Amino acid sequence: MQSQPTVRQATTRPDPSRVHAEIGAPVSENSITIPADLLPKDGRFGAGPSKVRQEQIDALSAASKTILGTSHRQAPVKNLVGSVREGLSQFFRAPEGYEVVLGVGGSTAFWDIASFGLVEQKAQHLSFGEFGSKFAAATNKAPFLAASSIIKSEPGTRPAAQAEAGIDAYAWPQNETSTGVSAPVKRVAGADEGALVLVDATSAAGGLDVDVAESDVYYFAPQKNFASDGGLWLGLFSPNALDRAARIKATDRWIPDFLDLQTAIDNSRLNQTYNTPSLSTLVTLDAQVQWLNANGGLDFASARTADSAGRIYSWAESSEFATPFVTNPDERSNVIATIDFDESVDATVVAKVLRANGVVDTEPYRKLGRNQLRIATFVAIEPDDVSALLASIDFVVGKLRK
Ligand SMILES: *Cc1c(COP(=O)(O)O)cnc(C)c1O
């Protein structure tokens, strides 16, 4: 008989019978019940969207009487956008002259926006996973730019930027979410005067330490460490990046209105967006930024994710069936841990059993094709829930190997 896992947080526990129906399930995932006292209190470990904290939902509920359903051109929503911009400046200890700019469309839209509005002639990209490669493809395809310089390395490793004459923008992800590799945010020694550093911090921002002064645009979306929903892009822009945007805008390059960075900058300065943003996304984002700042800001956030990720890596290193996919400890991410399993364990089955027990989204990045689990340790996730997840995995593997 199938006994149900204890529902400690009703919103996060899918009905196991429905999950069973969806995946069609010939495997034994429904015959393994993880004891309730081993299970994490909250079973959301996906690499994006992140677990959302209950306090963010409470903030959303409070906003349902004040902000939701009101005009984004009036003071209440503009003040909310202002609060997000100020809160992020504080959180990232924004250097003098840096501005928080935002717009609709998420990080993927920002790659096109940057291709039109930030790259003057030629970009260099580090490509060591899905996300870095997508921005590289975007500038590489732009007919008004020279072919991009693209430096690749094997998944699970990272390359380094190399100064090259004629490159005016260097771009890489601080955290390659597809592989669990993180990369330093550092200016490129020997780069041309004025060359910009564009860092995709979508899954890093709010969870990994950074000195924003080492970048010109540190951009992200709110659905990872900020535990909100997708659909917005935000970035900290240096004075040089703001100048670059204005200079390109003044040329005769055709830029689609929706992707016009100068329009986004002008609107952001008024605490607005060019078109309608999701107000609930802004509310839950603001709640997370306030929580982070009240608890000690970036130091708090980066220590918490380091604690969570450290638990996974040390567990994997001492496990007889699991190993960290990223072999160089210095390249391992503190917000996404990728764990390989040896041939005695089928990670797909482990992920299915976890899912049937309400612990979701530990599947690896599909295109990597490895016998792996990918576990997010975003800042919203409790470090003790990470430990509970590891105990649950040990339990499941023990059962499967019998
Ligand atoms: C999630 C993610 C993206 C995509 O973000 P969207 O808001 O869905 O466009 C881009 N880059 C990285 C590093 C990510 O983790």
Side-chain angles (χ1 to χ4, degrees), residues 162-201:
Q162 286 160 23
E164 236 180 85
I167 299 284
D168 58 74
Y170 291 85
W172 64 89
Q174 184 185 8
N175 186 72
E176 183 42 83
T177 319
S178 61
T179 60
V181 171
S182 65
V185 176
K186 270 251 159 256
R187 294 207 171 270
V188 182
D192 287 358
E193 175 84 24
L196 302 179
V197 171
L198 314 178
V199 173
D200 177 356

Side-chain angles (χ1 to χ4, degrees), residues 84-107:
V84 166
R85 293 179 65 230
E86 259 175 57
L88 289 171
S89 292
Q90 186 193 331
F91 179 78
F92 289 111
R93 307 176 193 115
E96 184 70 30
Y98 277 63
E99 292 182 32
V100 176
V101 178
L102 74 162
V104 171
S107 291

Side-chain angles (χ1 to χ4, degrees), residues 1 4 54 62 109 113 153 156 169 191 198 216 223 227 230 248 295 336 351 357 368:
M1 202 196 82
Q4 303 271 326
Q54 183 58 42
I113 290 166
S153 75
L198 314 178
D216 292 290
Q223 73 274 21
I248 291 178
N295 279 286
I336 298 285
N357 282 270
L368 260 187

Side-chain angles (χ1 to χ4, degrees), residues 109-280:
F110 190 74
W111 294 326
D112 289 331
I113 290 166
S115 302
F116 275 108
L118 280 172
V119 182
E120 210 145 24
Q121 277 163 357
K122 183 172 177 176
Q124 180 181 97
H125 296 265
L126 303 186
S127 172
F128 51 103
E130 179 70 9
F131 293 106
S133 75
K134 279 190 166 159
F135 188 18
T139 61
N140 202 37
K141 280 188 282 192
F144 46 86
L145 299 176
S148 300
S149 156
I150 302 175
I151 304 178
K152 294 187 181 174
S153 75
E154 285 306 306
T157 69
R158 69 178 186 226
Q162 286 160 23
E164 236 180 85
I167 299 284
D168 58 74
Y170 291 85
W172 64 89
Q174 184 185 8
N175 186 72
E176 183 42 83
T177 319
S178 61
T179 60
V181 171
S182 65
V185 176
K186 270 251 159 256
R187 294 207 171 270
V188 182
D192 287 358
E193 175 84 24
L196 302 179
V197 171
L198 314 178
V199 173
D200 177 356
T202 307
S203 58
L208 298 186
D209 200 12
V210 65
D211 175 2
V212 166
E214 295 287 331
S215 66
D216 292 290
V217 181
Y218 187 77
Y219 66 92
F220 50 92
Q223 73 274 21
K224 311 247 164 123
N225 285 288
F226 292 106
S228 180
D229 257 327
L232 277 183
W233 59 265
L234 302 108
L236 281 98
F237 280 61
S238 73
N240 276 347
L242 295 165
D243 286 351
R244 174 76 68 86
R247 195 162 71 236
I248 291 178
K249 175 68 180 170
T251 66
D252 57 8
R253 180 183 292 178
W254 172 71
I255 301 177
D257 290 340
F258 182 65
L259 302 177
D260 187 328
L261 180 55
Q262 191 57 51
T263 300
I265 293 168
D266 294 341
N267 274 284
S268 297
R269 286 173 173 157
L270 301 171
N271 293 330
Q272 298 194 61
T273 49
Y274 176 57
N275 63 320
T276 317
S278 156
L279 303 186
S280 52

